[in-house]
Structures are given as C-alpha cells and as structure tokens.
Amino acid sequence: MRLFATVILALGVVAAPAYGQRAPERPRAREAGVVVGVLAPGPLNAITDVAGVRVGQTTITEGDSVQTGVTAILPHGGDLFHERVPAAIHVGNGFGKLLGSTQVDELGELETPILLTCTLCVWKAADAMVGWMLARPGMEDVRSINPVVGETNDGVLNAIRLRPVAWQHVTAALESASAGPVAEGNVGAGAGTVAFGWKGGIGTSSRRLPASLGGYTVGVLVQTNYGGVLSINGAPVGREMRQFAFQRQLQAAPPSGTAMNPVRERADGSVMIVVATDAPLSAASLDRVAMRALAGIARTGGSFTNGSGDYVIAFSTADSVRRRTGSAPRAITDLPNDAMSPLFQAAAEAAEEAVYNSLFRATTVRTRAATVEALPIDRTLEILRRYNALGWDRTLPPGARP
C-alpha cells in the first residue's frame, strides 16, 4: 500500500456518481510494462529518490465545478532561504506565468520551495508561500523574498475564474511535504489538467546512475496539460486511437453529423517540469540538464505549440554547491562538462516516463463544464504490444534493471 503526501480538501460533498470522483487505482506505466530508456529508476521511481527532496500536495474539489490544487516541491528539509540550492530555469516556449524566474536566471539559485498551481492562482499561491516563509524561525529580518511559482491552465475542468486556491491550501501542501512516494494523476496541481485530450495530471520518475557513471540520482516531476500526438515508447498511441492535434483541419471531409471534440484534438496547453539531482552542478550545468528534460517531452509527442507554456526548473541538492547567505567565500566542487552526458540521458528518460505516469494514474473527471476521460489503459497496452513497445527491460543488461 502506498502512502502519499497529499492533503485532499473536499469543499463540497456530492453523492456518487460524483463530479471529480476517483476511480479505482490504476497502475503506473512501468507496472503495466512500459519500461522507458536504458537507465534504472530509483527505489521509488520518483523525484523524492533524490535525498532530501520532499513533495506535498493539496487537491481542491468543490462541487461540480472546481478541480485544481497545489503541488509543493522542497529541495531539502533545512532552511531554504539561508541554504539556497543552485538552480536554472529553461524555457521551451514562454507562454506562461512562471513567477520568480528572472531572479533565478540572474542569481542561479532558489531561496523558496517551488509551487505548481493553476494559471489564475499563481499570485495567490505566491503570497501565501511568502507569508509561510516569513513566519519561519530565522526570517525575522528578511525584507525581500523571491517565490517561484509555476502553472498550467486547468480551465477546461476547473472554474478557474473563481481563483479557488487560498492560503490554507498552500500551507497544507508545504506542511505535508514528505520524502516518500508521490501521488500522481489528478491530484494537487494536476487535479484539473488535460494532456493529449485525456486526463493529465502530476507524474514523477527517477533515474539512478551506476557507480561507473557517477552514481548520481536524477528525479523529475511534471504537471501535464499539453497536447500533440501521443507516442509511448515510439508507438503512435494518439494516431491509432484517432485522438490527436489538428484532426479537424486534417480531415478533408468529416462524416456527416460528426462533431469533433475540441478537448480531444487540443494542441495548446502547458507543461511544468521540475528536475532535481544530487549531482554537484552549477547553475549553468543545471540549465543544460533542464534543456534535456524537454527531449523527454518531445518523445511523448509534444510539439511545444504557440499557446503552450513549457518550462523546466532544475536544481541540485549537493551540499558542495549549496549557497549559504553572507559574503564569506566557499570552496565549490562541481562536475566538469565531460561528466554531464549520463545526467542528460537520465533527465530525458525520467521526464518521458513521468508524463506516462501522469496519464496512466489519472482517472476520468466530469465537471459541469466538461468530461475528460482517462487514457484507456487496456486499449493503450494492446497498441503497445502490436508495436513491440512493452517489456523492454527484458533486453537490458542487469545493471539497467530496477
């Protein structure tokens, strides 16, 4: 039985069949036989495999119209403001509201947790996190703080104009953060998201390099809300299911009486990607790792469309590169460029698998505004079998198996 660091605040009680009701638990991608890449995952196959990283989530469900939430990622369990981690933000497509990015770009460090939420709730979430930070011990004299808050637009399933995220939701996510397994699917900031026309959400994965490649761990967490043509291990799932972007325009003469579903063929949207590693990396090296996480998104069939905000936030938890406040010089040990390629591979693989986990774990959500179906797993697996895209671990050497 998994134990998840998730707080669910149900602000409206409805009888079954309920709006936003969770279906029985669905498997993660790897549990269903979808083995991505050649590197082995960590024991949890989650961003929390990177020592010290903690994740907390608040899911907000209100009646038949609100499906949203907050996901908090804490780089370590200490004083985040006074013991900052090096960080970088890489922009795949800048159609978004990533708060705090300019200071991260300038200084190359994080001084707060990372929050993910819905588009119109960014500023409310940031204000709540600043209040939470300022109230912590040792923060009495702080007069400037740079909250980092990312978002995707969950307005298909969520009454986003209500801006339902409040301080208690943010505080609950931050206070509940733990280093254990991470809940996936329609939880936290993924409660109302849509990916490839199916229900998207939160997904996570990790890769642990063998000692011969450095022994480091890379973990990824995604908030999926983007479109394209879904591909899983190279198998054209979206095409085979006839659910992909630009269907209306590509169909010269739609059958009489056929109405295309704009949710099923949507192309625009966004994806937030958080990459954590214990490899000792500078901000410049972290930007290079972040860029490779976008390769994982491309492998899933995303094309970074005009209206898609595609961002990667990468940070290192290594003590040797941590920045303590003050002006005293400190010796820094970080990896040379020639040691980076295994980390690039790990970031791409973990990002790809995290997306699949967000889809496999998500369940159908119905609100007053729309119904978004979960990815049909049985049909997906049938396609993957046909394209020989399952069980790839059978062909891997023992060191690449979990």
Side-chain angles (χ1 to χ4, degrees), residues 8-23 59-68 156-159 186 191-192 199 363-372:
I8 300 179
L9 303 183
L11 305 180
V13 179
V14 289
Y19 291 99
Q21 180 175 313
R22 295 294 301 275
T59 301
I60 308 167
T61 301
E62 185 175 356
D64 62 359
S65 58
V66 172
Q67 293 287 332
T68 194
V156 172
L157 288 170
N158 178 42
N186 27 319
K199 181 68 189 70
T363 55
T364 298
V365 172
R366 178 170 61 95
T367 68
R368 179 181 298 177
T371 295
V372 178

Side-chain angles (χ1 to χ4, degrees), residues 199-377:
K199 181 68 189 70
I202 297 296
T204 189
S205 184
S206 71
R207 292 296 183 272
R208 179 162 291 176
L209 300 179
S212 59
L213 294 176
Y216 302 111
T217 298
V218 175
V220 173
L221 182 142
V222 297
Q223 176 193 19
T224 58
N225 193 53
Y226 66 102
V229 185
L230 178 61
S231 175
I232 299 179
N233 270 355
V237 175
R239 189 182 70 195
E240 290 284 329
M241 292 193 187
R242 301 184 182 278
Q243 178 161 316
F244 51 86
F246 312 117
Q247 284 178 270
R248 187 188 309 273
Q249 295 87 344
L250 293 171
Q251 195 162 354
S256 177
T258 299
M260 298 296 286
N261 185 333
V263 173
R264 292 176 63 89
E265 62 172 321
R266 69 181 295 193
D268 284 340
S270 299
V271 60
M272 288 298 310
I273 309 162
V274 179
V275 180
T277 183
D278 56 5
L281 301 180
S282 66
S285 292
L286 285 164
D287 182 66
R288 300 184 72 208
V289 172
M291 186 189 310
R292 273 62 178 191
L294 292 175
I297 302 302
R299 292 173 187 173
T300 69
S303 54
F304 311 104
T305 57
N306 174 69
S308 189
D310 308 312
Y311 298 91
V312 189
I313 307 172
F315 63 86
S316 170
T317 63
D319 185 76
S320 67
V321 293
R322 198 166 295 178
R323 284 96 174 271
R324 272 75 178 185
T325 53
S327 58
R330 184 167 184 261
I332 297 293
T333 303
D334 64 355
L335 288 186
N337 290 328
D338 287 346
M340 294 297 296
S341 292
L343 297 171
F344 296 163
Q345 179 77 21
E349 287 188 12
E352 181 183 2
E353 186 167 344
V355 170
Y356 301 151
N357 282 334
S358 77
L359 290 163
F360 271 67
R361 292 285 293 152
T363 55
T364 298
V365 172
R366 178 170 61 95
T367 68
R368 179 181 298 177
T371 295
V372 178
E373 301 288 336
L375 178 73
I377 291 181

